[in-house]
DNA sequence: ACTAAAATTAATCAATTGTATAACAGTGTG
DNA sequence: CACACTGTTATACAATTGATTAATTTTAGT
């Protein structure tokens, strides 16, 4: 009987491989069904490696969670950065990115929810969540600020922060319910829905986010305000 | 050695007791840590009863989830019904109720998230979630409609539904992040924050929801009002 | 009070869990 | 090309898991 042939991988590659297998298994079978054996099988290795690369299973799962959060915020920030243009275009792009693939993915949302459920009773998870949330809020504030200023809206740090909190809530809620979507409405209404909602939340003129630069206006919003002449 | 003395309870009482113990254990230890033994110990009975009252552990957990969702929507609807007054007051009361105790409870949110994480891969959970979500959306639409009409806002079934979807997203997101809250802001800002945000989302005049009848703007306390003097 | 039905306990089962350890094999270094 | 290093496999192990069954106790009906 011969042993399984294998390959020696670098620390980074193997760790990432194990974390991704962990995420896959947690998404598929939940935390209770994500056993060390299933995870290692998914990663194509044997159980011993868990101890070798992480202290324990719990340690591996915590690392996988941090890895996920990192990826999520990185993706979101990237969407914002990618949209070079007016502040409105950037904010709009960020909002839309959060409600379209690959960001709004059922598997990812399931994962996220599963981990969130552990935040309260696991200090390790709590810290990871807090950092991710702070980062997300910060990005949002950075995007909102110039838009408010550009439109001459009432502005202060507190106002900006409150807007970020509300907008973040809106994003999170729609992201979750939209991805899990129970077939109660079509998912593809969400990008337009959130840009419209954000306009009203921030009290921007209608169309400010749904048609910031080029005409990609597909919402049914009547444009009944003029107020387009603002010096850049 | 004598056996444990016990009491025969009615089917309803015992089942509820077991489901509540299940929720407690899932909240505390997660789905993976909520073993039959822990649950039955929490309920003060022995393991055999699970089979007697539910077919299996999974069955018991699904029932517990449905029980939780039922309680949640019932509580929320009740908050709305309790606030007799103008449509604005009812909507405001509903919104505030969702972001204050006992509705916004960290333990409950943890539970909810944990279960949501299973919706994708467990058809039983999916059905329970869908029904709960539909119910919640329906309540919201019912509350929004008269407010829109009363203020002469542009109104149609589609508009009303979109507002309900957005508002539901906002509630869910703030409810989650607020309850889990990572200390990044005080939780008690949320009731005022959401009424303000809802005013803008629905394009109501400022103060329409934050001061619908009497001035309860900045107090943050749900006012128990005895007399309804009705201003127009 | 007696009895029968049913609720509950207690004990047992095979399967699975996470962890630990020794043996092996691939890799780079001299 | 032999060597040592360590990534990796394979196996073992005690603990825990969910499920099952028989024995026992409570309760309701008469």
């Amino acid at each position: 009987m011969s042993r399984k042939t294998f390959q020696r991988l670098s620390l980074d590659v193997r760790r990432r491989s194990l974390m991704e297998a962990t995420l896959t298994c947690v998404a598929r079978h939940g935390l209770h069904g994500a056993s060390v054996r299933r995870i290692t099988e998914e990663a194509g290795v044997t159980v011993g490696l868990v101890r070798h690369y992480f202290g324990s299973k719990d340690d591996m799962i915590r690392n996988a969670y941090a890895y996920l959060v990192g990826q999520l915020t990185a993706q979101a920030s990237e969407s914002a950065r990618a949209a070079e243009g007016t502040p409105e275009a950037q904010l709009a792009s960020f909002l839309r990115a959060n409600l379209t693939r690959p960001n709004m993915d059922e598997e990812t949302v399931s994962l996220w929810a599963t981990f969130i459920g552990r935040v309260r009773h696991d200090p390790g998870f709590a810290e990871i969540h807090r950092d991710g949330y702070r980062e997300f809020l910060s990005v949002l504030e950075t995007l909102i600020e110039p838009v408010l200023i550009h439109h001459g809206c009432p502005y202060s740090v507190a106002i900006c922060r409150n807007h970020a909190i509300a907008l973040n809530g809106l994003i999170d809620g729609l992201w979750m319910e939209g991805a899990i979507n129970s077939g109660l409405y079509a998912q593809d209404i969400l990008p337009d829905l959130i840009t419209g909602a954000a306009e009203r939340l921030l009290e921007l003129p209608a169309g400010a986010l749904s048609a910031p630069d080029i005409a990609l206006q597909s919402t049914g919003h009547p444009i009944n305000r003029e107020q387009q002449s603002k010096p850049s």
Side-chain angles (χ1 to χ4, degrees), chain A residues 180-196:
Chain A
I180 300 292
N181 193 339
S182 323
L184 297 180
Y185 52 82
Q187 293 175 320
D188 52 24
I189 69 169
L190 290 178
D192 285 349
L193 192 143
I194 200 174
T195 47

Side-chain angles (χ1 to χ4, degrees), chain A residues 23-225:
Chain A
L23 295 181
T24 300
C25 286
V26 172
R28 252 206 287 273
H29 308 103
L31 268 178
H32 62 293
S35 68
V36 170
R37 282 171 175 78
R38 253 206 272 259
I39 293 171
T40 50
E41 184 188 14
E42 172 76 25
V45 296
T46 52
V47 294
L49 277 199
V50 169
R51 177 175 162 76
H52 193 260
Y53 282 103
F54 306 89
S56 65
K57 178 200 176 187
D58 285 346
D59 232 53
M60 182 169 68
I61 289 188
R62 263 188 289 271
N63 274 279
Y65 176 43
Y67 176 72
L68 170 74
V69 169
Q71 268 194 327
L72 274 182
T73 52
Q75 262 179 345
S77 307
E78 185 49 39
S79 316
R81 201 177 309 116
E84 300 168 357
T86 65
E88 290 78 14
Q90 287 193 29
L91 177 56
S93 168
F94 180 79
L95 295 176
R96 302 182 81 90
N98 274 287
L99 296 186
T100 49
R101 294 193 181 282
N103 278 40
M104 193 176 81
D105 169 66
E106 197 168 349
E107 204 82 356
T108 308
V109 170
S110 293
L111 259 175
W112 185 79
T114 300
F115 286 132
I116 286 288
R118 295 310 305 144
V119 164
R120 170 158 168 68
H121 291 282
D122 187 317
F125 278 35
E127 186 182 345
I128 297 167
H129 168 71
R130 185 178 57 250
D131 291 348
Y133 186 38
R134 175 188 294 128
E135 172 72 11
F136 200 91
L137 266 185
S138 159
V139 169
L140 213 38
E141 287 186 53
T142 307
L143 286 169
I144 291 174
E145 183 184 22
V147 173
L148 291 182
I149 293 177
H150 185 247
H151 280 273
C153 299
Y155 171 79
S156 76
V157 175
I159 289 178
C160 193
R161 161 140 280 234
N162 275 0
H163 277 149
I165 293 175
L167 211 41
N168 175 74
L170 186 62
I171 294 172
D172 275 9
L174 289 179
W175 179 68
M176 273 207 23
E177 299 293 2
I180 300 292
N181 193 339
S182 323
L184 297 180
Y185 52 82
Q187 293 175 320
D188 52 24
I189 69 169
L190 290 178
D192 285 349
L193 192 143
I194 200 174
T195 47
E199 286 167 5
R200 284 171 270 137
L201 266 181
L202 305 183
E203 296 181 286
L204 306 174
L209 292 177
S210 46
D213 267 329
I214 50 180
L216 45 81
Q217 183 173 9
S218 50
T219 69
H221 289 298
I223 304 180
N224 46 15
R225 300 188 197 183

